[in-house]
Amino acid sequence: MKKYVSTLLFVCISMALSAQTVLRGAVIDKSNNEPLPFATVAVMSADSTVVAGSVTIDNGEYRVDIPVRGQYLLSVSFIGYQTHYQSLNADKARIDLPTIALAPDANMLQAVQVVDKVPVVEQQMDKLVMNVSKSAFAQSSNALDLLRKAPGVSIDKDGNVLLNGKPVAVWIDGRPSHLDGKGLETLLRGTDGTGIDRIEVIANPSAKYDAEGQGGIIDIRTKHHFAQGLNGSFSANLGGMGFNREMEGRGARSQLFLDHSISANVSLRTEKTNTFVQIAEQASQMGVDLITSTKADFGGVGFEQYSGSLCNINSHNLTFKMGNDWFIDSRNTLGVIFTMPRASVRQWDDSSFSYQKTGGQTMQQILSQPITEYTLKQYMGNLNFTHVFDESRAAELTANLDYFHNITSADNIQNNFFLPILSPMVWQGQKYDSVKYLTLHSDNTIDIYSAKVDYQSVVLGGYMMEAGAKWALSHTDNLLNQINSIQYRGNDTIYGNTVDNPFDYSEHVGAVYATLARQFGQCWTVKAGLRGEYTYAYNTLRTVKQD
């Protein structure tokens, strides 16, 4: 029996390996034929889901392991260059693609004056840093656009951030954002690119970081002015696109979608203090049209199905951030930061319509009015203290107290009007036979309190040592409200039911860690770390308990 199981396991592993495809190739700069390191190579399925990814190395070469063979779309991108797309048929164990040449983005480089040569992407001991503030691309982009250009980073259709195809945790200014999916996408879309200093990609986080994100951590660092006096910047963008939209029974109509963004950064730095204020506002409109038509013949009987939807999406984002650093003396600094992001998304279909016909006879007609509304409100406060023991050894102690309050609310409304069966088909202005109403409302409130102490120093003649401890308390309140109802033609009565599903959850987490690292030349870094965590979680009724 043991031999049979071993053989079966070997066969399964062999079959799994044989179904994979190893993709190899290289990326160069089209303008000078030089290798292009740190370019992002992503393999996407038909629905834009990233299935695998990689980053080119110093000589421009890359390797991507595609888990399942099939038809894919290959995307190669790098900040300051036009993104390259091509279809990919992963039908064998290994594929060697011809060298891909990325062309510089000429529109972005116009009117840019080079004052100093600073690498856009640089490899540091434990992370990859993209110096966004040194790139002209930041002048006309938001934080989401910049993040898409970071080495190895891609964003799937649901707004999830991936690093080499794996989920990551996104931090802002060294602190967790506590967001993912559409909430994070909305916040980043409303953050102006001119306020971003750099993006740090940490593929293999040390023991210093919380255990979250399979693919690592991405830390978005915002700008802080270091020149004394009054400093500031202001930017505004306005743009739009016009579309002709058409759906059966509606005829053609024109629609204009406008986007705008405004951001302002002001700081006042003296010998003893540094005060800054950042404000960013962004609004966008978008239309997504989905028309499907299916016709088939079954034994001489024709079948036809049609559905059309003109979807409108409006989003609005507003972020306010202010802080102050007090330089007590040359060794001690006390700081406070307050951040207040706001975001809202409203999506609705402009009278979605569908019907089915069999043998030329209309069997069903439905007029739908789906509406989705999402709002996000956050309050984040931080009190921090830094004491420098010895600058020559980079020996310093930092302490942070953080409070995070998050409120998200979502409404999903789906009203389906079942129309009379008419021949010839007419649906505009008709009374309905019945209406089915479905409303889902969810509220989610999160409060997080945390305290953290970190110490770092160079020891043993060149090793960087880090150690620290953290405690965090989080409490989550969830409420899901569902309303199902139906109304029949000629009847003012609505029959239905309402279901409430409340749930709360509390969690205490304590952690200590220690890390020792050293870099040997430009190619090798050795790091060892140990982290211990203790978690106690429960709900109010104690029906859920984890220790």
Side-chain angles (χ1 to χ4, degrees):
M1 182 62 184
K2 291 182 179 179
K3 182 178 180 181
Y4 170 77
V5 172
S6 300
T7 304
L8 179 61
L9 179 62
F10 175 76
V11 171
C12 291
I13 294 175
S14 299
M15 291 176 62
L17 291 176
S18 64
Q20 295 181 350
T21 295
V22 177
L23 179 67
R24 294 179 181 270
V27 181
I28 62 173
D29 186 331
K30 189 175 182 179
S31 62
N32 55 21
N33 292 327
E34 293 291 329
L36 198 60
F38 306 120
T40 300
V41 181
V43 177
M44 298 180 291
S45 58
D47 63 351
S48 299
T49 299
V50 178
V51 298
S54 182
V55 177
T56 57
I57 58 178
D58 290 344
N59 61 4
E61 295 181 355
Y62 63 87
R63 168 185 168 146
V64 181
D65 295 323
I66 304 175
V68 180
R69 296 181 185 178
Q71 295 288 336
Y72 296 101
L73 178 67
L74 180 69
S75 168
V76 181
S77 61
F78 187 67
I79 187 169
Y81 291 79
Q82 298 176 10
T83 302
H84 171 86
Y85 295 101
Q86 72 176 69
S87 58
L88 175 66
N89 182 19
D91 58 352
K92 52 187 177 181
R94 173 169 172 169
I95 298 178
D96 293 303
L97 288 181
T99 298
I100 296 173
L102 292 188
D105 193 333
N107 294 328
M108 189 193 73
L109 295 177
Q110 287 180 357
V112 175
Q113 181 180 2
V114 178
V115 179
D116 188 17
K117 185 164 181 66
V118 178
V120 175
V121 180
E122 58 180 329
Q123 178 72 59
Q124 297 185 5
M125 186 173 71
D126 60 346
K127 57 193 172 187
L128 203 62
V129 179
M130 185 170 76
N131 295 303
V132 173
S133 62
K134 309 302 180 183
S135 170
F137 185 73
Q139 302 300 317
S140 59
S141 305
N142 55 44
L144 186 67
D145 297 329
L146 295 176
L147 195 57
R148 293 183 191 274
K149 296 293 184 178
V153 175
S154 55
I155 300 174
D156 67 14
K157 64 182 187 301
D158 297 318
N160 297 306
V161 181
L162 308 176
L163 179 60
N164 296 329
K166 296 181 180 179
V168 294
V170 177
W171 289 32
I172 299 177
D173 287 331
R175 296 170 181 86
S177 65
H178 303 290
L179 287 173
D180 56 12
K182 289 299 182 183
L184 179 62
E185 179 183 5
T186 301
L187 181 63
L188 294 177
R189 194 184 297 276
T191 302
D192 193 86
T194 57
I196 306 298
D197 179 52
R198 65 187 186 277
I199 296 176
E200 300 178 353
V201 180
I202 310 171
N204 299 290
S206 69
K208 176 180 179 179
Y209 296 95
D210 295 339
E212 58 177 341
Q214 302 174 24
I217 291 174
I218 296 176
D219 194 358
I220 302 173
R221 298 282 182 165
T222 57
K223 286 182 178 179
H224 296 285
H225 295 282
F226 293 97
Q228 289 199 11
L230 183 64
N231 302 274
S233 63
F234 175 82
S235 66
N237 293 284
L238 175 65
M241 298 184 71
F243 296 90
N244 290 322
R245 314 180 72 183
E246 185 174 355
M247 188 171 71
E248 184 174 319
R250 292 294 302 271
R253 65 188 179 100
S254 300
Q255 194 163 357
L256 177 65
F257 296 105
L258 291 174
D259 294 351
H260 79 264
S261 64
I262 301 173
S263 68
N265 299 273
V266 179
S267 70
L268 177 62
R269 187 180 179 94
T270 66
E271 292 184 359
K272 282 293 184 180
T273 62
N274 178 39
T275 304
F276 65 89
V277 177
Q278 300 173 353
I279 301 175
E281 190 261 352
Q282 182 262 355
S284 65
Q285 296 178 316
M286 182 171 61
V288 179
D289 302 349
L290 181 62
I291 309 295
T292 60
S293 179
T294 302
K295 294 183 179 180
D297 186 87
F298 299 97
V301 179
F303 172 80
E304 181 179 351
Q305 179 172 305
Y306 171 89
S307 64
S309 172
L310 305 185
C311 179
N312 301 279
I313 304 174
N314 284 353
S315 65
H316 181 262
N317 306 275
L318 176 65
T319 301
F320 174 79
K321 183 177 182 179
M322 65 178 299
N324 182 78
D325 293 323
W326 177 33
F327 310 114
I328 302 173
D329 53 39
S330 61
R331 293 181 179 270
N332 298 282
T333 302
L334 180 65
V336 61
I337 303 172
F338 174 73
T339 308
M340 188 177 66
R342 295 283 191 271
S344 65
V345 178
R346 188 173 190 268
Q347 175 177 323
W348 72 98
D349 282 3
D350 190 0
S351 300
S352 297
F353 178 65
S354 64
Y355 66 81
Q356 291 181 358
K357 287 183 178 181
T358 301
Q361 177 65 38
T362 302
M363 306 302 295
Q364 186 180 64
Q365 296 186 113
I366 303 176
L367 180 65
S368 300
Q369 293 179 341
I371 300 175
T372 299
E373 294 183 341
Y374 171 86
T375 59
L376 165 71
K377 298 179 181 179
Q378 287 186 343
Y379 305 93
M380 292 178 281
N382 167 263
L383 181 65
N384 59 83
F385 173 76
T386 301
H387 174 73
V388 178
F389 292 96
D390 187 349
E391 290 187 1
S392 64
R393 295 187 295 112
E396 66 178 33
L397 177 75
T398 60
N400 285 271
L401 294 175
D402 286 277
Y403 171 66
F404 172 81
H405 181 69
N406 179 91
I407 303 174
T408 56
S409 178
D411 286 288
N412 294 277
I413 302 172
Q414 177 73 45
N415 298 331
N416 291 327
F417 295 81
F418 293 86
L419 303 175
I421 305 303
L422 303 175
S423 183
M425 186 189 67
V426 179
W427 62 276
Q428 283 187 325
Q430 293 297 317
K431 293 184 177 180
Y432 53 83
D433 285 335
S434 63
V435 185
K436 287 186 178 180
Y437 303 96
L438 173 62
T439 301
L440 293 175
H441 175 80
S442 63
D443 287 317
N444 176 267
T445 303
I446 303 175
D447 289 286
I448 300 177
Y449 308 83
S450 66
K452 187 177 182 181
V453 178
D454 296 284
Y455 175 77
Q456 70 172 33
S457 177
V458 176
V459 298
L460 304 176
Y463 289 86
M464 173 59 74
M465 186 270 291
E466 295 178 310
K470 178 183 178 180
W471 170 84
L473 164 64
S474 63
H475 182 77
T476 302
D477 277 320
N478 295 288
L479 174 62
L480 177 62
N481 174 267
Q482 179 175 331
I483 302 176
N484 296 283
S485 55
I486 188 170
Q487 181 179 12
Y488 297 99
R489 184 178 185 182
N491 190 342
D492 294 332
T493 304
I494 299 178
Y495 307 91
N497 66 305
T498 301
V499 180
D500 290 329
N501 296 295
F503 182 76
D504 68 280
Y505 182 77
S506 297
E507 183 180 74
H508 296 262
V509 178
V512 293
Y513 76 92
T515 298
L516 197 65
R518 182 164 185 172
Q519 185 165 351
F520 298 91
Q522 295 183 348
C523 299
W524 296 95
T525 300
V526 177
K527 179 178 291 188
L530 183 65
R531 181 182 180 93
E533 285 193 4
Y534 172 75
T535 301
Y536 178 65
Y538 57 91
N539 64 343
T540 301
L541 301 177
R542 295 300 198 273
T543 55
V544 175
K545 188 176 180 181
Q546 265 190 326
D547 188 357

